[in-house]
């Protein structure tokens, strides 16, 4: 298809997949990774609930997905707590002080408490919720022996694009720290970061681990809330070369998209995306080797380096694979750079443009 402007393309066929498998657990969609509400009718075929981390996400769950959210926030405020409660079925507090301040106003929800097992295998510190000094969750040593009667669940988030083997090891620490309180609970939420749709994910091990947990604690409902897993490898970002420059032997293809604006995880994590028709290489110089540069004035808005099969040309498409999760939810309008359009590629091959952006979208964010 002839695409003259940058665009995220969501492939409906790849979006249609069930992640709950045979775990006898509830899987819910975390908006922090994917929140394109025009695709919600597809998700409602497979899941009943979503997870929110703010008032806006809770309202999106209630008004657009059609069910109340499982909500967690590091801190609720007086101005928002009542409206968040009205849009939530489950509400998790990050600290005992937040619980004390607001639990009476959250009585309509199933109340939970985020706990910190002080163990995580997430290697990138920016994404490790259990790193020393973390602001997330209550450690076992700070919990009272008898929980308040209205606390019905624990929420524990320790993963990032992790496999079932990581969950198996992490679960040992969770049980070691917090199983003395399990008899007082109705549910446990093992958070996100479980990349169950990755091709090499060991589903059989996940089934074994969760079945074992169910046998040990049959009264506990188990919840997972992955975000990336629902949108993993469901479509690319299509961009174009707008200029090619060279300095000290390093060639840079400047694109009509930006890493800092449209693919922020590439700079934050860093996450190296696959580029269709190119090989990621260590050296920055050589035949058909290019940096890919974003079209913003941030000096570091580029990534190194890819080798293409032939020299790039102005106007040529550069396609970044797997660019749907943690992109559209994290983009920004730095420099006023136009946001890529968002398209849904239907199973019949028809491309529906869900949203096209322009000046008014930038202007309105500056109100």
């Amino acid at each position: 298809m002839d695409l003259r402007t940058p665009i995220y393309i969501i492939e409906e066929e790849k979006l249609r997949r069930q992640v709950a498998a045979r775990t006898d657990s509830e899987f819910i969609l975390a908006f922090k990774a994917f929140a394109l509400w025009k695709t919600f009718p597809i998700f409602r075929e497979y899941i009943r609930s979503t997870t929110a981390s703010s008032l806006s996400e809770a309202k999106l769950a209630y008004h657009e997905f059609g069910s109340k959210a499982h909500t967690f926030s590091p801190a609720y405020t007086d101005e928002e707590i009542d409206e968040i409660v009205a849009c939530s079925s489950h509400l998790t507090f990050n600290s005992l002080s937040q619980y004390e301040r607001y639990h009476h106003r959250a009585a309509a929800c199933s109340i939970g408490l985020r706990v910190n097992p002080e163990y995580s295998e997430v290697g990138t510190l920016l994404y490790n919720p259990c790193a020393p000094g973390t602001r997330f969750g209550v450690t076992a040593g700070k919990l009272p022996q008898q929980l308040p009667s209205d606390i019905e669940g624990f929420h524990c988030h320790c993963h990032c694009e992790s496999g079932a083997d990581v969950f198996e090891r992490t679960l040992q620490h969770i049980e070691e720290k917090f199983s003395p309180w399990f008899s007082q609970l109705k549910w446990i939420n093992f958070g996100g970061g479980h990349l169950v749709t990755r091709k090499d994910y060991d589903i059989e091990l996940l089934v074994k681990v969760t079945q074992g947990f169910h046998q040990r604690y049959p009264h506990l409902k188990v919840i997972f809330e992955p975000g990336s897993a629902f949108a993993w490898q469901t479509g690319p970002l299509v961009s174009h070369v707008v200029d090619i420059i060279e300095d000290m032997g390093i060639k840079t293809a400047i694109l009509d998209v930006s890493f800092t604006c449209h693919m922020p995880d590439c700079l934050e994590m860093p996450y190296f995306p696959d580029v269709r028709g190119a090989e990621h290489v260590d050296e920055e110089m050589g035949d058909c080797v290019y940096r890919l540069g974003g079209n913003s004035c941030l000096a570091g808005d580029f990534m190194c380096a890819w080798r293409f099969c032939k020299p790039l040309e102005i106007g040529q498409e550069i396609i970044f694979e797997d660019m749907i999760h943690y992109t559209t939810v994290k983009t920004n309008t730095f420099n006023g750079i136009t946001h890529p359009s968002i398209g849904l590629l239907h199973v019949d091959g028809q491309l529906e443009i869900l949203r096209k952006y322009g000046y008014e979208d930038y202007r309105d964010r500056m109100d």
Side-chain angles (χ1 to χ4, degrees), residues 22-174:
R22 293 170 282 114
T23 62
D24 193 26
S25 307
E26 182 176 12
F27 278 72
I28 60 181
L29 169 64
F31 286 158
K32 65 181 179 180
F34 184 86
L36 294 177
W37 58 270
K38 290 184 179 179
T39 65
F40 286 175
I42 296 173
F43 286 98
R44 283 197 294 264
E45 297 176 12
Y46 304 102
I47 61 174
R48 298 189 300 273
S49 302
T50 57
T51 180
S53 299
S54 65
L55 173 57
S56 291
E57 286 188 346
K59 292 172 72 172
L60 191 72
Y62 185 63
H63 295 294
E64 304 299 339
F65 194 85
S67 65
K68 293 186 175 183
H70 294 233
T71 303
F72 163 79
S73 174
Y76 302 103
T77 65
D78 288 336
E79 292 76 19
E80 294 185 348
I81 184 65
D82 294 329
E83 196 171 0
I84 286 177
V85 167
C87 295
S88 303
S89 61
H90 296 63
L91 191 98
T92 296
F93 291 103
N94 184 56
S95 66
L96 291 170
S97 59
Q98 277 268 300
Y99 165 80
E100 290 293 340
R101 183 175 301 169
Y102 293 121
H103 76 104
H104 294 298
R105 293 166 69 174
C109 299
S110 179
I111 293 176
L113 191 66
R114 179 156 175 168
V115 294
N116 174 15
E118 303 173 82
Y119 177 87
S120 174
E121 297 186 21
V122 177
T124 303
L125 191 62
L126 182 66
Y127 295 95
N128 187 345
C130 300
T134 182
R135 70 188 194 281
F136 292 127
V138 181
T139 55
K142 295 179 181 179
L143 288 175
Q145 186 174 359
Q146 182 64 42
L147 294 172
S149 60
D150 58 351
I151 292 181
E152 297 185 340
F154 279 170
H155 177 188
C156 188
H157 179 72
C158 311
H159 300 83
C160 178
E161 297 185 357
S162 302
D165 58 327
V166 179
F167 176 54
E168 182 179 37
R169 292 190 292 271
T170 305
L171 184 58
Q172 296 175 8
H173 291 265
I174 295 173

Side-chain angles (χ1 to χ4, degrees), residues 337-351:
I337 295 174
T338 301
H339 195 293
S341 300
I342 300 175
L344 179 62
L345 183 63
H346 292 287
V347 177
D348 62 7
Q350 295 297 310
L351 179 64

